[in-house]
């Protein structure tokens, strides 16, 4: 996701082949980024329009999804800036700065969505207490401040090891939180109130199953997005060799898994028919 790992020393005899391979990977990367920009930007713009116009559950209930889509628009624009930076070196620092949207923004808002579902199922009283929009605004404000800090860190970090540790550390924290929410909701799903009527119990179990599926899909998609990059980063550092195939695989996983969350939302609002989605 950055160009730090390109700067490893290669033998002089393989300079030409390395250069050709680099430009081949760079061309593939631009094609993948262009596809994400072509499909991702209109998709997230449509989701923002649906949330603002109240097509779904309203702005308050979908506030985290709204911020996630805004963040994803920034990611799409970052891809555009990256493509432009290949031809205009004057803006080469901008894609690096906006990298914080990808590294921190996307997993952070996905994590907030999972925590919200966890509270709604496991701690419904607490969820109702903090359900008003002002609490979501406070959480998102703190999230955007964190994302801004991450953007500056991406601009300042110039060491491969530090960058990989930064990426892996964030993934581990967010993944641990989502995994905790997933297990807690699964335990709540297996438990049923003894004094509940059959219909009420079925409705509650449906809500729990829906929350569990959303958290599960979000956790799996985040794993697909970040595990290849973290693993490839460590392999690159340990071998001191830039393995093009691993990085391009990571980019493809990053792009494809990024469409899971918008597809999930569009299905929940009835705009996308898919029998396997919750």
């Amino acid at each position: 996701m950055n160009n730090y790992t390109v700067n490893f020393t290669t033998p002089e005899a393989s300079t030409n082949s390395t250069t050709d391979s680099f430009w081949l990977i760079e061309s593939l990367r631009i094609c993948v980024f262009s596809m994400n920009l072509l499909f991702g930007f209109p998709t997230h713009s449509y989701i923002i329009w649906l949330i603002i116009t109240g097509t779904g559950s309203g702005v308050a209930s979908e506030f985290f999804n709204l911020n996630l889509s805004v963040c994803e628009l920034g990611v799409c624009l970052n891809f555009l800036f990256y493509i432009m930076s290949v031809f205009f070196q004057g803006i080469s620092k901008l894609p690096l700065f906006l990298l914080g949207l990808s590294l921190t923004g996307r997993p952070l808002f996905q994590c907030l969505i999972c925590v919200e579902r966890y509270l709604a199922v496991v701690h419904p009283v607490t969820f109702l207490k903090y359900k008003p929009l002002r609490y979501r605004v406070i959480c998102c404000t703190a999230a955007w401040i964190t994302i801004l800090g991450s953007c500056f860190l991406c601009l300042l970090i110039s060491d491969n090891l530090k960058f990989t540790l930064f990426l892996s550390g964030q993934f581990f924290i967010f993944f641990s939180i989502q995994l905790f929410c997933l297990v807690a909701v699964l335990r709540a799903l297996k438990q049923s109130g003894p004094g509940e009527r059959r219909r009420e119990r079925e409705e509650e179990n449906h809500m729990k199953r829906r929350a569990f599926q959303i958290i599960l899909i979000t956790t799996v998609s985040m794993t697909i997005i970040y595990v290849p990059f973290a693993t490839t980063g460590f392999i690159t550092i340990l071998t001191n060799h830039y393995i093009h195939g691993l990085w391009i695989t990571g980019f493809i996983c990053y792009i494809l898994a990024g469409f899971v969350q918008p597809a999930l939302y569009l299905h929940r609002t009835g705009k996308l028919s898919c029998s396997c989605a919750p």
Side-chain angles (χ1 to χ4, degrees), residues 168-187:
S168 302
Q170 282 198 131
F171 166 75
F172 178 76
I173 293 173
F174 292 132
F175 180 78
S176 299
I177 295 174
Q178 292 188 16
L179 192 61
F180 169 79
C181 295
L182 185 69
V183 173
V185 173
L186 178 61
R187 290 182 59 186

Side-chain angles (χ1 to χ4, degrees), residues 120-122 185-193 196 201-215:
V121 172
V122 182
V185 173
L186 178 61
R187 290 182 59 186
L189 181 60
K190 292 183 177 180
Q191 298 173 355
S192 59
E196 296 175 341
R201 185 165 60 249
E202 289 179 353
E203 291 178 353
E204 182 181 359
N205 287 337
H206 174 72
M207 181 189 70
K208 292 178 180 179
R209 283 195 300 270
R210 183 177 177 183
F212 174 78
Q213 291 172 346
I214 291 175
I215 296 175

Side-chain angles (χ1 to χ4, degrees), residues 24 47 173 207 222:
L24 175 61
I47 290 176
I173 293 173
M207 181 189 70
M222 195 182 77

Side-chain angles (χ1 to χ4, degrees), residues 41-60:
F41 193 87
T43 300
H44 289 287
S45 299
Y46 180 56
I47 290 176
I48 292 174
W49 181 80
L50 288 176
I51 295 175
I52 292 177
T53 56
T55 304
S57 304
V59 176

Side-chain angles (χ1 to χ4, degrees), residues 19-93:
T19 303
D20 294 339
S21 178
F22 170 76
W23 283 111
L24 175 61
I25 296 299
E26 202 67 14
S27 300
L28 289 174
R29 185 185 303 180
I30 291 176
C31 291
V32 173
F33 284 175
S34 300
M35 290 178 59
N36 184 78
L37 180 64
L38 181 62
F39 295 102
F41 193 87
T43 300
H44 289 287
S45 299
Y46 180 56
I47 290 176
I48 292 174
W49 181 80
L50 288 176
I51 295 175
I52 292 177
T53 56
T55 304
S57 304
V59 176
S61 299
E62 303 291 351
F63 196 70
F64 291 141
N65 275 302
L66 174 63
N67 281 266
L68 176 61
S69 291
V70 172
C71 181
E72 291 288 355
L73 286 183
V75 173
C76 293
L77 290 177
N78 191 30
F79 292 158
L80 176 61
F81 293 142
Y82 175 82
I83 296 172
M84 293 174 60
S85 68
V86 176
F87 306 98
F88 305 100
Q89 294 297 321
I91 62 171
S92 59
K93 293 292 184 180

